[in-house]
Structures are given as C-alpha cells and as structure tokens.
Amino acid sequence: MSADHAHSFAAADALEETAAPAGGGAPAARARSDEVLLSVENVSLGFGGVKALTDVSFDIRKGEIRAIIGPNGAGKTSMLNCINGFYHPTEGRITFKGQTRPKMRPHEAAAGGIARTFQNVALFKGMSTLDNIMTGRSLKMRTNVFWQLVRFGPATREEVEHRRKVEDIIDFLQIQHIRKTPVGKLPYGLQKRVELGRALAMEPELLLLDEPMAGMNLEEKEDMSRFILDVNQEFGTTIALIEHDMGVVMDLSDRVVVLEYGRKIADGTPDEVKANQAVIDAYLGVPH
Amino acid sequence: MHANEAERPGARLDRERPVTTSVAAREDTFPKLIVRNARVRPRRTAFRHKDLGIWQSWDWGRVHESVRGFAAGLHGLGVRKGDKVAIVGANRPRLYWAMAAAQWIGAVPIPVYADSVAEEMAYVLSHAEVVTAVVQDQEQVDKLLQVADQVPTLGHVLYDEPRGLRDYDHARLHPLTEFIAEGEARLAREPELASVIDGALEAGRGEDLAIILYTSGTTGRPKGVMLTHDNVLAAARMGCDFDRLDETDEIIAYLPLAWVGDHIFSYAQAILAGLCVNCPESPETIVEDRREIGTTYAFAPPRVFENMLTLTMVRMEDAGRIKRAMFKYFIDHAGKVGEKILNGERVGTGDRLLYAIGDFLVYGPLRNRFGLTGIKVGYTAGEAIGPEIFRFYRSIGVNLKQLYGQTEASVYVTMQPDGEIYADTVGRPVPGVEIKIDENGEVLFRSPGVFLAYYKDDAKTAETKTQDGFVRSGDAGFFAENGHLKIIDRAKDVGKMNDGSLFPPKYVENKLKFYPNIKEAVAYGNGRDFVGVFVNIDLTAVGNWAERNNVIYASYQELAQNPQVYEMIAGHVDEVNRSLAAEPMMGGAQIKRFLILHKELDADDGELTRTQKVRRGFIAERYQPLIDALYDGSSEADIRTEVTFEDGRKGVIAARVKIRDMQVYPVETHAPVREAAE
C-alpha cells in the first residue's frame, strides 16, 4: 500500500456524516428559505349549506415539502382544489408568488407553475407513457397548429426539445421499460409514477400531490418517497402533499398542517404536530 | 442500424487527431489491445449505451483516449501497480473502461456484484484491500460509505451517475465524466505525465495479474480467483476462434460484471476481436434493447431463454384463432425437422419447403421478437437447460449451444461444436483444454486459462489445484461414447456403493423425473448394496391417465397404491435401468427396488427445500421404516406420517406401501472411459 492512502481514515468519518441525511431522507439537511411561495389566508369554501373549509390560513415556503393531513372528509382535497383554481374560495384569499388572483382557473394555475396529481389516477389510458408525459409539455409548446401539421421546421425542432425534457423525466423516474406501453396496461403503482412524470413535465414551481401513495405496497411507497425527495432536491420543486400514511408524512415533510371538519387544528413541524393534543384527539377520537 | 447514426459529437474532432499513445509493441495486455484497436479500427463503434432513449456510441479511438485519461486520473489519485480498484455497478461503458484504466497502470480491477448487500461488499473490499472504487450510482456510493470504516484502505470513490449525489461531501467523491476529461486534459498539458502513463502501459506484461474475480460462494466466504492477462487472453482467444468472432459482431452486456462470463464475453473477447459491446438502458429493457441492436453473439443463463419462451407462449394465448393455429402448426413442424436442418442433416424437399414457409410466417418474426435475428451463435451455461426449451430455440433456427466452464478456468472447459449438439451433454473439451476424470468421478481440467491462485488463500489453492496444474472442478461427470462430457452432479454429492461403483443421486433422480408421470424421486445408495428409490407420481399426469383408463381413485394415496400405476412406473424404472446400463460409469447405479410414496413430498413438511429440491437425509429419517423395508427385502411396509395441511392443522397419514423389485441389466463395457478422455 502506498502512503497516498494514509489520509483516508479521517476522510471516511467526515463523509459518513454528510451522507447519512441524504440516504436516510431526514429533511433537516435540506436548505430552506423563508420566502413564502404561496399563502392561504382565511379561506372558506361552501357548497350550498355544506361548509368544506372554514377560515383556513397557512403558507407554503419556497423549496419545502408541506403535508396536509386530516381524517376523512376534513377538506384536504378541497383545499388542494382551491389552490390550483378548480374551486374558488367563497371567502379569503390565495396569494401565489406575491400575486393575489380573485378567480384563478386551473389552466391559469398550470401556466403559473402549479402542477398536480390526482387521488384517482387521471391519465389517458390508451396512450403510451411517453405520450402521456408529453401532454404535460403542451402548455410549453409555442408553435402554431400550422407548423405542427407540416411536421418540419420550428415545430419539429420544438418537439425534439420537449422530447429531450421528457426523456430526462423518464430516466429520473426509472420508467424506461414502459416508455411505449399504453398506461392502461400498467400496474397501479407505475401509473402513479407516470402521473407524477406528467406533472413534472410542466416544470412546476409548486407540485400538488393528492395521496401519491394511496393503494401502494410498502416497496412502492418507498420508491415513491425516494422520488418525491429527489424531485424536491434535484429540481428544487416546492411540494404540497396530502397523505394518509403517517409514517410517510412524518418522514418526508418539513411542515405539516392538520385539518379537521374544514378547520385548521394544528400547523408545525412533524414533531410538533405529533405532540399536539388536538391532533391526537382528531385521529384517536375523544369521548363527547 | 439506426444506432450507428448516433455518433458522439466528439468523434468528429478525433478524426484528424492521431492515436496519442506511442508505445505497445506486443499486445499482451488488454490496455495494449485497446491501443491496437484505436490504431486499426479507430472509427468502428466499440461501446454503445442507451441513455435517455437514444443509443449513445463511442468508437475505439474515443474509448482509447478515455481509458488513457482515466488511467492518468487514477495515477493522480495515487493508484499504483498492484493496487486494487473495486468496480461496482451495472453494465456501463465507463465501468468497463475503469477495468482497462486500472490495468493500464498495473493496478488490479476487482469487480463486485452490484446486488451484494453492504456486509458482503465489506468482506470483499477489505479482503482485497481496495484503495479506490469506481461505482455506478448513489445506491452503490451509499453502500460504500456505510462500510467505509471496515475497509480502512479505501480512499477515493468515483461515480458514473451524479443523480442524488449533489449534496454529498465531495472531498473523496468524484464524478466520472469530469474525472476522465480532466485526466485527458492533463495528459495533453503535461508531457511528463504522458510519458509516465505510456511507460506504465509498456511495462505491462502478459503474466501480470489482470483481475481478481470473487466467486459468489454458495458455501462459505467468497474466494478471489486471480487471473493473469495471459489466462484471460488465452480464454478469449479460445472463444473467438471457436466461433470466429470478429469486429462486425455485436453483443449485449447485461450479466453481472463480477461474473467471469461477462468478463470474458463483454470485456476480453470484445477487446480482442474489436467487436461492439452494447449496454442496455435498464435491466427491464434488455429484450427491447436486444431487438434494436440485433446482437450476433449471445450468452445467457437458461432462465433467460425460459422467460422469453414463456412470455411468448402467454402472448400467443391472446392471439386470434388463425394466428394461433398457424403458430402451432409451424412450431410442430419445426419440432420435427428444424433441428435436423440446423445440424445440416438430410431432410426431404417437401419438409424443407414447408420449413421455409414457416420461417417466413412464424420463425423469422419470432426470432425478431426475441432479438435473435442476426444471431450467429448463442450460448447457455451456468445450470442445466430443459431439453424442450433448448430444442425449441434450435428448431426455429437459433444456433443455441451449451458450454461448461468455471471461473477458475477463465470460463472455457467444454463447448458444443456446430453440428454436434446434444441436449444432455456440455460438449467436447475446447482445443487447448485437457480433461481427466478421477476415480471419484470428479472432473479435472488443465488449460492456458487456468487461474494463478486464490487471493490470500494458499490452503484453498492447494486443495483445488493439483501438483501438475490440473484444477478440481467440484463437479462429477463422465465422457459419453460420442466424446462429449456429461456433468452429473456436484462431486461431493456423488456417493459410492458397497461394490465400489459410483452413485450419483441427482443423475438417477433426473432420469426418472424426465417421465411426466414421475413428479419427484429420491434415490438412496451411498454405502449400500444397491440403489433404492422413493417415487412421487405426478397427480395431474397420472390422474389424466386414470380418467382415460377408467381407473377410479379418491386421493393421491389411493392412486399411488394402484397396481396398474405401479406397473406403469415400473416400466419407466426399467427404461432408466436400460439407459444406465448403457453408460459404463453409471451402470452400477441401476435401481434394484422402488416404492411409490403414499404422500406427496412437500416443503411445508420439510421434505423439500423452498426451491423444490429434495432433502434426501431428512426424508430418509422421516421414512425410516420404508428405508428399512427397501433394504431388508420385505415386499411391503407400514408407515404412519404426521403431515401439515394447508390451513396449518396437523394430521396423520397411515398406509401400507408396496415395494417392487426390478431387473438389473449387465453393464456394457466398451473401452474404459478414463483413457478415452485423455
């Protein structure tokens, strides 16, 4: 052994420490800014007599993973639908990137940089994985119908560019083997992954995930968790997610907001939320 | 092929630039052969890797520059002659280059199985005293960091895929692409470094240690098999000559880097012949990738061929009625004449014409689907392939052959020459390989490919390598009359009977299990006067027969004891005895008495392993009264056995089992085999 390797003892320890958070998925090591990307202020949402949300306020900071949890019917999906403009709050305001828009439609939200996935997979079943993810790029396409019809010139160049982006995503999500497979034939876990791919193709600033692990087995959940962390780290995407698996929520997220019967009952780091009596009561029930 | 169009942008720049290395008179090491390739065929594609959906390619000129730059980089990290460099990951061009770069400066590459868990990896890395590791991705980096304190010698780690590694401390971590580019740039800037690197290349000798391959070790710790450049080159030359490989050949590299097969096929032979190595996009895309490339030379363990066939059969079930009928008709026809046509035997004109039509309609498209259209020759090895599967591929015109090899031999021991293919043998000794069989039936071989020694394990080396350079294979086998080697079992499982004749239990059992009516067989004979066998009938096959012949039965037990069933099984045993009698070495293992067990052997009762292998010793204990009856001459025996039902309840089965005596045939004695082999 040459003397050149003598230094390696000390270096090994230093490396261990930095590697542990990245491998273990503890969010502490990730750099966070305090800049608010999206804020929800006193939002209420009613359908006729039913109040889905009552006076909810919280914010999402740039670069964080924010979880929204709560028992069934707590209004989590309604909240997500408000954020991406599918519902309009009856009261309150939503500010995204410093701009408050009174009535935002989903396509405006999408153009503004908000992408989402759905609780029940919403893909084009007959189309291939590749084509499904390509649809995520449609908002970014600039050439007109004429050029797209003639299939040469600017439209082709543009498509090559988009295809390159899509291939990056396919590589990122490790779904090369199903590139040409119609998504209807894929198992559920993979469909979820394709849906995430389509959302990523929009290169969003804020990614909304509605129960990304629903119906998955342990291994699929672990894979999906890895992808969510990687998206957050590699692309710096801010993520808001709804999830029922508490283990996943507590491991992945930086901050958690808890809803019950349309009201916010807690907000804070996973540890704070876990210790909150109102949250414990909401999940375990209290004698009335 | 569209892949050729995707030349690397950098290739054009090289076109005017001459090969930078100025030395290498004798091409006795792999780095020197890469220099030769860069000189002889600089623009021919050497490696391809499908990345982001496109086949990226590198020609020999480019590969040479990269390997040279890589070598300079390793030198810069302090890697010197004799140091060990671990290589961990899937088949990626840069990991193959890492082997060549290490060899360039006299260091020894240690490929490690990428799927080994951290503990196994720690053992190999610390045993080999690895100083630097070249790995594929974050997964492997994490594993290495986890075991770093158990491998005190480990310094720097180089990685191929940067994904997920951005936030790691880069004091000891380096991304490969930049590392290689930096090495190339330094070589261009610093003439002294260039002369050191070129000097190191020139100093390499054929007898130098080229690589240490750790055998996966089903028993005990893995052993490090040391192979020299001469060993590996000799083996590669055998393979290239045997099947006339040249620079136009295409192979797909997808088997573990640490496995000797991949090292010879995807590294040694590729560099020697100058052929192109294609690295698939991911482990799941191999079939599709193979189809796109159209490989001309293929190597796969039997399960790969089995999987491809099963998948096709399942898909055919979904096909329309006409297609299904056509498929069946022509596959049946191929089963009759396909192999004969491939072997160049005489076949009638009508059959040939029909085969040609079948080739157009079915066999051609099938081969295309399998990615075997351009195949010159395909090999299967590692374990025995099912004869039906083997014949299926051959019948549709794929020249699939078997070989027998070992890490200790740099793969090649025996191969099947064209036109001499038998499903039950592994072929003739490769030219240059000597084989002898010792008195216990163990196969010993000697060849230029035979390994130097086990790394840091003289005791094991002495145990395996004889004084005169023969290697004990650990497998028992014999030569059939046609001069082909038959492997029968692991040598340690082969027993001896009281009269001194060999008793290979698995060989006897497999011969019995060849009959569809026999599901499982357990043979006894080690240290006994004759061979006795327990048989399990196959309930599906025998049940089917019972239905057709109006035999009424209520349970397995009842069917098993049916005299007609006994008669049928006795017929099979008789045939097995005849075939054993025809094989001089095996003739003593003819079955004298057998019985049909009253229950099916079951893994839940501990009688089979979870991989469905019989546990002879346990079964003998459990059915002690039956064993006694088998050997004391009684014609029936009572047995009570506790069983576990599927719902977990326990119960007892009692039965009176009959025992049948069989006729034993005189053993044919033609010329003693041991002499014939030598």
Side-chain angles (χ1 to χ4, degrees), chain A residues 1-2 4-5 7-9 11-12 15-16 18-19 22-23 167-168 171-172 174 176-177 179 227 230 233-234, chain B residues 50 52-53 78 83 129 131 138 142 145-146 152-156 163-164 166 168-169 172 281-282 284-285:
Chain A
M1 193 61 44
S2 66
D4 297 315
H5 309 296
H7 65 270
S8 54
F9 287 90
L15 264 172
E16 278 274 49
T18 46
E167 285 293 342
D168 278 335
D171 181 63
F172 183 84
Q174 294 167 5
Q176 297 98 335
H177 58 295
R179 191 184 277 127
F227 288 128
D230 280 351
Q233 273 170 24
E234 291 282 303
Chain B
K50 194 171 184 186
L52 301 178
D83 285 351
E129 295 162 16
V131 298
Q138 184 189 11
D142 284 347
L145 294 176
Q146 199 185 327
T153 48
L154 182 63
H156 293 269
R163 177 179 170 189
R166 186 178 302 159
Y168 283 43
D169 178 5
R172 290 200 304 164
E281 190 167 24
S282 82
E284 291 86 27
T285 60

Side-chain angles (χ1 to χ4, degrees), chain B residues 262-292:
Chain B
D262 186 70
H263 189 68
I264 298 292
F265 287 97
S266 312
Y267 182 79
Q269 288 184 175
I271 293 174
L272 183 65
L275 54 79
C276 179
V277 178
N278 299 283
C279 301
E281 190 167 24
S282 82
E284 291 86 27
T285 60
I286 291 158
V287 174
E288 196 55 29
D289 292 345
R290 187 191 282 124
R291 201 164 76 86
E292 285 174 8

